Amino acid sequence: MTDTLTGPAGQHAEQTPEYPMARADRCPFDPPPALSGLQDQGPLTKVRIWDGSTPWMVTRYADQRALLVDPRVSADTRHENFPHQSESLKARREMGRTFINMDDPEHARLRRMVTGPFAIKRVETMRPAIQRIVDDLIDGMLAGPKPADLVQAFALPVPSMVICELLGVPYEDHDFFQTRSRVLISRKSATDVVLTAQREVIDYLDELVGRKLAEPADDLLSKLAAEQVATGELTRRELANMGFLLLVAGHETTANMIALGTLALLENPDQLAILRESRDPKLIAGAVEELLRYLHIVHSARRRVALEDIEVGGQTIRAGEAIMLPGEIANRDAEVFTDPDRLDVTRDARRHVAFGFGPHQCLGQPLARVELQVVYSTLYRRIPTLKLATDVDRVPFKHDGLVYGVYELPVSW
Amino acid sequence: MRVTVDQDKCVGSGQCVLAAERVFDQRDEDGIVVLLDAEPSADQHDDVRQAALVCPALAIELAE
Ligand code: HEM
Ligand code: SF4
């Protein structure tokens, strides 16, 4: 075993586990057993990814957090050893380049242009509008046929309407960018299809920024167009790239938390009952943190490159080597969370890394939190008889997606 | 307890405000941390420790 841990890349091909790994059939909410198993082997191990390269895998919560905040670690996807998720993501590393793939100080300069609207108090003012969106969608679903697909009827429109409103993207265009973002976040999409999809959305946003420059409205794209593009701080294309990140990051993630979270609660009726019966905003907020921890939907690992030699658990990651940090096993680290495989909406889960850690920790987290708090405190109370309209084994899970979730969720009531 | 914050490191995540809203706030223009109370009273200490623990930028320092 020590050979696998320390041997040079490629020499022990048969012993280096392939990543990503498969989840167990009966445990759709748990990380793949082979991935969890790496945690028992030690803090640092190697895996083999799609292109044959063998990045380091950091298995423990404390080491993952320490590395993600370490300035010697880079998120720059242009680095020759960067462990890309797929051929198509490698192919589009230059396209749409913005702060998620930059290091400080460039990262901080761009990120700070958009942090204001995501501050806690600013997002809190959006709560009544989010509540209205959620209530209207539930009305619509209750008035429609049974069973309904919770994903299309509810989980996707909630974050999509919210982020469109915030950015100033006409919601009428949602079919256009939702079909394209579905292509973008599947590991299976062919490279040329992905490149076209991304270019189309960025072109669309570029044109939209042009319109916001000419006729500003009360929205984030207009504000950024006036403050950053008109003053020469950003080019129109750079703002379109940023808008693209916000649009895509802002709805697929939250939508998956809504649908997968609902399924997890339906499968754990005692936990669902606690949520449904509580009127305590603190309990609801805590339940959101626990579901974020337990489900850790961004299951494709944070990916980085070491810029200098870094010591981890007695071993050395050399400068230039690739690093993978799978938060789903950090969130199940028994050193940090007692009985980590249990969903317990009353535990204090606030230390989870479902939003990442370090300078790239999710910019949209305050918004995602409010959306999920409103959803989880409204949906099950308004539809107390909500139930799965199929067998859980027949639910199509997004095993191949960059973000985990369900493709559809037939529900009845 | 003495609290200090590093506004250069801060990434505006708002985690500290969620944990201890009487001690931390965010600047209106860019969401960067503002310290409201550098010597919080004892009933705030647990919340402030929680804020320091979850700050993704390690921008909060405590001297106890
Ligand atoms: C439950 C929902 C969400 C989850 C689980 C989630 C998760 C994440 C994670 C894990 C990262 C870190 C990426 C890395 O370290 O490489 C991230 C970054 C980011 N997220 Fe989210 N996210 C969610 C919702 C949102 C929303 C609603 C928005 C925007 C409106 C958003 C915008 C972003 C942006 C812009 C970044 C890049 C930050 C940076 O690089 O500085 N996310 N998110
Ligand atoms: S938790 Fe840290 S990074 Fe987030 S706003 Fe507070 S000081 Fe800044």
Side-chain angles (χ1 to χ4, degrees):
Chain A
M1 228 42 252
T2 9
D3 277 351
T4 334
L5 295 178
T6 54
Q11 212 169 313
H12 299 278
E14 69 290 348
Q15 288 174 31
T16 309
E18 299 271 339
Y19 180 91
M21 291 130 173
R23 290 179 196 252
D25 277 348
R26 299 253 145 204
C27 311
F29 307 119
D30 290 340
L35 182 60
S36 305
L38 296 180
Q39 214 164 42
D40 305 327
Q41 290 179 19
L44 206 56
T45 179
K46 284 205 163 187
V47 292
R48 182 173 308 277
I49 61 172
W50 63 277
D51 62 356
S53 67
T54 52
W56 289 107
M57 190 61 113
V58 183
T59 65
R60 302 210 174 129
Y61 175 92
D63 294 326
Q64 286 195 14
R65 284 202 355 160
L67 281 169
L68 284 170
V69 73
D70 193 321
R72 297 171 298 176
V73 165
S74 168
D76 194 335
T77 40
R78 293 175 310 180
H79 195 288
E80 57 174 354
N81 292 343
F82 190 88
H84 296 278
Q85 322 235 14
S86 63
E87 178 92 62
S88 68
L89 268 151
K90 183 174 183 182
R92 65 187 175 102
R93 64 193 179 279
E94 294 285 353
M95 195 193 275
R97 200 177 144 66
T98 186
F99 58 92
I100 193 166
N101 296 127
M102 293 176 179
D103 296 327
D104 288 335
E106 290 77 13
H107 162 267
R109 183 179 81 89
L110 297 182
R111 177 168 166 134
R112 283 185 179 207
M113 291 177 184
V114 284
T115 36
F118 292 97
I120 301 296
K121 285 183 181 157
R122 297 274 286 280
V123 170
E124 216 34 72
T125 64
M126 296 169 67
R127 193 183 285 267
I130 295 172
Q131 182 72 54
R132 240 182 341 266
I133 289 174
V134 166
D135 280 322
D136 289 351
L137 285 164
I138 295 174
D139 289 342
M141 198 167 83
L142 288 173
K146 287 195 260 188
D149 174 13
L150 191 82
V151 174
Q152 291 302 326
F154 185 71
L156 210 48
V158 171
S160 191
M161 286 170 142
V162 172
I163 194 70
C164 283
E165 171 85 24
L166 182 82
L167 286 174
V169 172
Y171 185 69
E172 305 86 82
D173 296 339
H174 72 280
D175 270 345
F176 167 79
F177 52 77
Q178 270 171 16
T179 45
R180 281 153 190 83
S181 70
R182 221 163 295 145
V183 168
L184 291 171
I185 64 160
S186 171
R187 278 193 205 121
K188 282 191 185 147
S189 305
T191 302
D192 56 331
V193 178
V194 167
L195 290 174
T196 307
Q198 179 158 352
R199 189 171 307 112
E200 283 171 355
V201 181
I202 294 176
D203 285 347
Y204 164 87
L205 287 167
D206 193 322
E207 201 225 288
L208 186 62
V209 170
R211 273 188 276 149
K212 303 280 181 193
L213 274 168
E215 290 169 52
D218 183 19
D219 57 50
L220 183 53
L221 282 181
S222 296
K223 179 174 154 5
L224 290 167
E227 286 174 7
Q228 312 293 347
V229 178
T231 58
E233 282 293 311
L234 286 182
T235 64
R236 228 169 94 168
R237 199 70 181 173
E238 282 171 327
L239 178 52
N241 288 345
M242 219 187 248
F244 175 80
L245 171 63
L246 293 169
L247 195 59
V248 174
H251 69 271
E252 274 296 337
T253 44
T254 313
N256 284 309
M257 272 306 297
I258 294 173
L260 191 66
T262 298
L263 181 58
L265 289 166
L266 290 171
E267 291 293 298
N268 289 273
D270 56 325
Q271 300 297 308
L272 178 57
I274 297 174
L275 254 184
R276 192 194 292 127
E277 276 141 41
S278 173
R279 303 256 153 184
D280 176 7
K282 267 218 164 105
L283 186 137
I284 305 288
V288 168
E289 301 309 312
E290 170 65 351
L291 282 154
L292 285 162
R293 178 196 75 85
Y294 181 72
L295 298 171
H296 192 93
I297 53 164
V298 189
H299 69 159
S300 37
R302 306 300 98 241
R303 297 174 186 236
R304 301 292 191 264
V305 175
L307 298 176
E308 294 173 30
D309 290 1
I310 303 172
E311 199 62 41
V312 175
Q315 294 184 75
T316 307
I317 299 175
R318 299 272 170 216
E321 287 183 332
I323 313 173
M324 313 249 289
L325 309 107
E328 60 269 47
I329 57 174
N331 280 344
R332 303 288 184 105
D333 189 332
E335 302 244 316
V336 185
F337 302 100
T338 22
D339 202 358
D341 293 328
R342 223 181 92 219
L343 175 67
D344 172 3
V345 297
T346 63
R347 80 161 84 217
D348 182 356
R350 290 177 294 171
R351 276 171 296 171
H352 68 73
V353 288
F355 290 122
F357 199 72
H360 293 280
Q361 192 182 60
C362 185
L363 170 78
Q365 56 182 306
L367 182 60
R369 284 192 166 103
V370 171
E371 292 180 66
L372 294 174
Q373 287 164 9
V374 171
V375 165
Y376 295 151
S377 66
T378 308
L379 181 62
Y380 320 122
R381 197 178 302 151
R382 285 206 48 200
I383 318 182
T385 54
L386 189 75
K387 58 173 192 262
L388 194 57
T390 182
D391 196 56
V392 67
D393 294 334
R394 299 174 142 237
V395 173
F397 289 95
K398 295 184 175 176
H399 293 292
D400 61 330
L402 300 179
V403 182
Y404 190 56
V406 292
Y407 285 105
E408 54 183 77
L409 192 66
V411 292
S412 196
W413 51 88
Chain B
M1 177 188 275
R2 265 207 79 82
V3 186
T4 49
V5 294
D6 184 336
Q7 291 183 323
D8 292 333
K9 277 194 194 165
C10 172
V11 296
S13 71
Q15 299 257 44
C16 53
V17 179
L18 285 180
E21 61 178 359
R22 280 156 63 193
V23 179
F24 304 99
D25 198 358
Q26 289 171 281
R27 285 201 299 237
D28 217 25
E29 64 278 19
D30 58 7
I32 297 305
V33 64
V34 179
L35 187 59
L36 299 175
D37 185 355
E39 287 180 42
S41 56
D43 62 324
Q44 299 284 305
H45 289 186
D46 279 350
D47 290 347
V48 174
R49 281 186 210 108
Q50 173 68 23
L53 178 73
V54 293
C55 170
L58 305 183
I60 300 171
E61 292 230 24
L62 308 180
E64 303 213 35

